[in-house]
């Protein structure tokens, strides 16, 4: 091909870059009204979420400010008066709280109940969930169906028969009895949740570990537990919050001489109707501990809740 033909072919060929210049951008072709409406909708959603969060935190903020006011100020006006009169804030209520042996002892009793009840559910539920997911044994599906059926049994149904049983074996009004009750009623949900999560683990991964000589215990501790960490953390948060905030089981089965914090606060209301200088800070401390646990494991909780949603 001669040079004149090459030049003529180049002249006849449209330039790609010039054609791109003439093509309108998808974003610029979008109507201005539509773009403004999209930004306004996004801003409205953010404002709504912020207002919802503030509304949800309002009772906590009110309880905190009430716990930092004197009993006379609490009786005279609402907690919002602190916003215009910050001089009302004081820490004397928390000093009285620490001097109240009933409240401080109840916090220790609550910890002695909540921590073992949570750990037992996590340990037993993890072993049982792995067994139902990957071990073959007679009647596995029927046993799991029985566990699922226990999820619909309300706690109130078992109060009378369990009370008689604990009274016969000497566990009534003991810390061990409360721990066993919470563990028994927390296991069905724990087994159901962890079994479904462990069943999503790829079979090839477990078979590869078995080919490398890993037994069931090593397979469970080295492979299954690390992968199931988010689900186990989520379960631990649920169990901790349920046991810590429970009052019905503690009111019936706990030792009346060393009750949990929920029962101790209820007794303060019954005995001293105007004892707000102890009730307000005690209620706030009882609320803060679960919040600290939740925010400390917030990332694991979100991962566990979303586990299996996206593959």
């Amino acid at each position: 091909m001669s040079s004149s033909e090459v030049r003529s072919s180049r002249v006849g060929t449209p330039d790609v870059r010039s054609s791109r210049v003439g093509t309108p951008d998808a974003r610029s072709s979008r109507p201005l009204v539509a773009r403004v409406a999209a930004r306004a909708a996004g801003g409205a959603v953010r404002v709504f979420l912020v207002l919802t969060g503030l509304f949800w935190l309002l009772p906590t903020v009110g309880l905190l400010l009430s716990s930092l006011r004197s009993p006379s100020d609490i009786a005279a006006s609402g907690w919002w008066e602190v916003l215009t009169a910050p001089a009302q804030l004081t820490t004397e209520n928390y000093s009285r709280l620490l001097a109240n042996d009933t409240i401080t002892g109840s916090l220790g009793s609550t910890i002695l109940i909540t921590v073992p009840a949570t750990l037992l559910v996590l340990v037993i539920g993890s072993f049982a969930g792995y067994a139902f997911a990957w071990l073959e044994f007679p009647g596995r599906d029927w046993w799991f169906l029985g566990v699922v059926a226990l999820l619909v049994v309300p706690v109130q149904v078992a109060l009378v028969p369990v009370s008689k049983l604990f009274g016969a074996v000497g566990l009534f009004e003991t810390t061990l009895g409360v721990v066993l009750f919470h563990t028994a009623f927390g296991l069905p949900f724990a087994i159901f949740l962890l079994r479904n999560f462990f069943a999503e683990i790829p079979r090839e991964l477990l078979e590869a570990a078995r080919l490398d000589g890993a037994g069931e215990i090593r397979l469970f501790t080295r492979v299954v537990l690390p992968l199931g960490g988010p689900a186990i953390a989520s379960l631990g948060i649920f169990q901790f919050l349920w046991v810590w905030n429970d009052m019905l089981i503690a009111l019936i089965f706990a030792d009346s001489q060393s009750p949990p914090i929920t029962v101790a606060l209820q007794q303060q209301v019954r005995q001293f109707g105007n004892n707000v200088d102890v009730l307000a800070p005690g209620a706030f401390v009882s609320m803060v501990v679960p919040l600290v646990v939740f925010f400390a494991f917030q990332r694991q909780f979100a991962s566990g809740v979303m586990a299996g949603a996206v593959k």
Side-chain angles (χ1 to χ4, degrees):
M1 181 181 293
S2 62
S3 59
S4 60
E5 292 176 349
V6 171
R7 287 195 298 271
S8 62
S9 64
R10 288 181 177 178
V11 171
T13 303
D15 190 4
V16 176
R17 288 175 295 180
S18 62
S19 63
R20 288 181 180 177
V21 171
T23 303
D25 185 48
R27 184 178 299 177
S28 61
S29 63
R30 192 177 180 183
L32 179 61
V33 177
R35 283 181 289 169
V36 173
R39 293 183 179 180
V45 170
R46 294 188 185 94
V47 171
F48 175 76
L49 293 178
V50 170
L51 292 178
T52 302
L54 293 176
F55 182 77
W56 181 75
L57 289 175
L58 190 61
T60 305
V61 174
L63 182 61
L64 173 62
L65 296 179
S66 296
S67 66
L68 294 173
R69 303 178 70 203
S70 63
S72 58
D73 292 333
I74 295 175
S77 60
W79 59 267
W80 50 87
E81 294 294 333
V82 176
L83 301 177
T84 57
Q88 296 180 0
L89 298 178
T90 178
T91 59
E92 294 181 0
N93 292 341
Y94 286 92
S95 300
R96 296 190 185 97
L97 178 69
L98 296 177
N100 191 311
D101 296 334
T102 302
I103 300 298
T104 54
S106 65
L107 287 173
S109 300
T110 307
I111 295 174
L112 291 178
I113 292 173
T114 305
V115 174
T118 303
L119 294 179
L120 285 175
V121 168
L122 294 181
V123 173
I124 300 175
S126 299
F127 278 110
Y130 173 74
F132 280 116
W134 294 108
L135 296 183
E136 298 289 342
F137 55 90
R140 183 185 67 173
D141 295 336
W142 288 104
W143 281 107
F144 183 70
L145 183 62
V147 171
V148 174
L150 291 176
L151 290 172
V152 302
V153 178
V155 176
Q156 293 80 2
V157 174
L159 293 179
V160 174
V162 174
S163 299
K164 294 181 179 179
L165 175 63
F166 282 2
V169 298
L171 292 176
F172 193 76
E173 289 194 354
T174 61
T175 300
L176 179 59
V178 181
V179 171
L180 292 178
F181 193 98
H182 283 299
T183 302
F185 274 86
L187 279 176
F189 176 73
I191 296 173
F192 174 77
L193 175 68
L194 295 181
R195 182 265 178 193
N196 292 336
F197 185 87
F198 292 159
E200 297 295 330
I201 298 177
R203 182 180 294 272
E204 294 78 9
L205 184 62
L206 301 180
E207 292 177 353
R210 289 192 177 97
L211 290 176
D212 291 339
E216 295 298 334
I217 298 298
R218 189 173 183 181
L219 183 66
F220 176 75
T221 56
R222 299 294 181 86
V223 179
V224 176
L225 282 185
L227 294 176
I232 296 174
S234 300
L235 175 64
I237 291 175
F238 277 122
Q239 180 69 10
F240 184 92
L241 296 179
W242 178 48
V243 178
W244 182 276
N245 294 321
D246 171 74
M247 189 179 74
L248 177 62
I249 308 305
L251 188 63
I252 297 175
F253 296 101
D255 187 1
S256 58
Q257 301 301 320
S258 57
I261 183 65
T262 52
V263 179
L265 292 176
Q266 185 268 341
Q267 291 175 351
Q268 292 288 322
V269 174
R270 184 180 60 189
Q271 294 178 1
F272 310 102
N274 57 352
N275 199 11
V276 291
D277 56 337
V278 175
L279 289 175
F284 183 76
V285 170
S286 176
M287 182 189 302
V288 163
V289 174
L291 288 177
V292 171
V293 173
F294 176 80
F295 286 113
F297 297 96
Q298 183 180 10
R299 181 175 301 177
Q300 291 82 357
F301 176 77
S303 301
V305 171
M306 295 301 297
V310 180
K311 294 185 179 180

